[in-house]
C-alpha cells in the first residue's frame, strides 16, 4: 500500500539485503529483476510500511497482568504501580522489557518512542543506546538483539522546574554522554 498513491493491484516489492529496492507491478518486477530471484507470493495480502508506536514504557512491561483493570483513574493506577515497582528484580524488568519488544515487533511495529523516568531501566546495560538493532539490555552481557526494532528513548522528567532541571535527571544518567537516542521530555501535569 503506497503512501502517496492508490494501492497497487497485483503489486510486488523487490527486497535485497534487508532493504526495499523497488515496487511496482509483479509482471514489471519479474521482468526487470535478476535471474534466480526468489519470489514469495503473499496471496491476497496488503504489504505496507511498518508501524510507529510513539508512546511506550517498555520498562513497565514486567507488570503486564499485575494490576487489575479497570483502575479508578490514573492516580489509582499509578499508586498501585508504585506500590509494587520497587520490589521487582532487575532481571525481571529486563525480561519484561524483552517481552515488550517482541510484542511490538509481532504487531508490525518497527519504531517506538520509549518513555522512561530512569527509575527502573538505568543505563548500565545499554538501554539508552541507539544503533541499528540495538543490543538487548536483557541478556547478561547485553548482546542479544531484537532485529528490526528501533527505539527513541525519552527520559521523562518528573517534578522539576526551570531552576532544577539538572536535579530532575536520575543519578547515573548523562544525557550528553553520546547517547544519540536519549531525549529529555517533561511529564504532563495531572
Amino acid at each position: 500500500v503506497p503512501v502517496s498513491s492508490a494501492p497497487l493491484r497485483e503489486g510486488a516489492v523487490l527486497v535485497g539485503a534487508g532493504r526495499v529496492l523497488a515496487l511496482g507491478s509483479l509482471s514489471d518486477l519479474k521482468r526487470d529483476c535478476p535471474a534466480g530471484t526468489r519470489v514469495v507470493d503473499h496471496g491476497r495480502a496488503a504489504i505496507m510500511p511498518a508501524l510507529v508506536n510513539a508512546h511506550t514504557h517498555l520498562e513497565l512491561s514486567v507488570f503486564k497482568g499485575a494490576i487489575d483493570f479497570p483502575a479508578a483513574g490514573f492516580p489509582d493506577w499509578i499508586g498501585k504501580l508504585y506500590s509494587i515497582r520497587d520490589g521487582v528484580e532487575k532481571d525481571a524488568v529486563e525480561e519484561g522489557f524483552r517481552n515488550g519488544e517482541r510484542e511490538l515487533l509481532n504487531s508490525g511495529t518497527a519504531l517506538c518512542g520509549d518513555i522512561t523516568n530512569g527509575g527502573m531501566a538505568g543505563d548500565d546495560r545499554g538501554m539508552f543506546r541507539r544503533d541499528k538493532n540495538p543490543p538487548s539490555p536483557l541478556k547478561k552481557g547485553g548482546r542479544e538483539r531484537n532485529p528490526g526494532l528501533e527505539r527513541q528513548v525519552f527520559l521523562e522528567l518528573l517534578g522539576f522546574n526551570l531552576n532544577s532541571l539538572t536535579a530532575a535527571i536520575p543519578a547515573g544518567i548523562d544525557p550528553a554522554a553520546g547517547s544519540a537516542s536519549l531525549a529529555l521530555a517533561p511529564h504532563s501535569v495531572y
Side-chain angles (χ1 to χ4, degrees), residues 60-74:
L60 300 182
S61 298
V62 66
F63 299 118
K64 183 176 182 178
I67 300 174
D68 292 330
F69 285 99
F74 182 74

Side-chain angles (χ1 to χ4, degrees), residues 93 96 118:
V93 172

Side-chain angles (χ1 to χ4, degrees), residues 123 126-131 152 173-183:
D123 197 29
M127 291 179 91
F128 298 148
R129 283 189 45 171
R130 179 179 181 191
D131 52 22
Q152 170 63 55
I173 297 175
D174 181 2
S179 189
S181 70
L182 182 61

Side-chain angles (χ1 to χ4, degrees), residues 92-113:
V93 172
E94 293 174 351
E95 182 179 344
F97 186 97
R98 168 63 71 211
N99 290 336
E101 283 184 321
R102 275 192 212 100
E103 285 186 25
L104 287 168
L105 286 167
N106 290 338
S107 72
T109 301
L111 172 65
C112 73

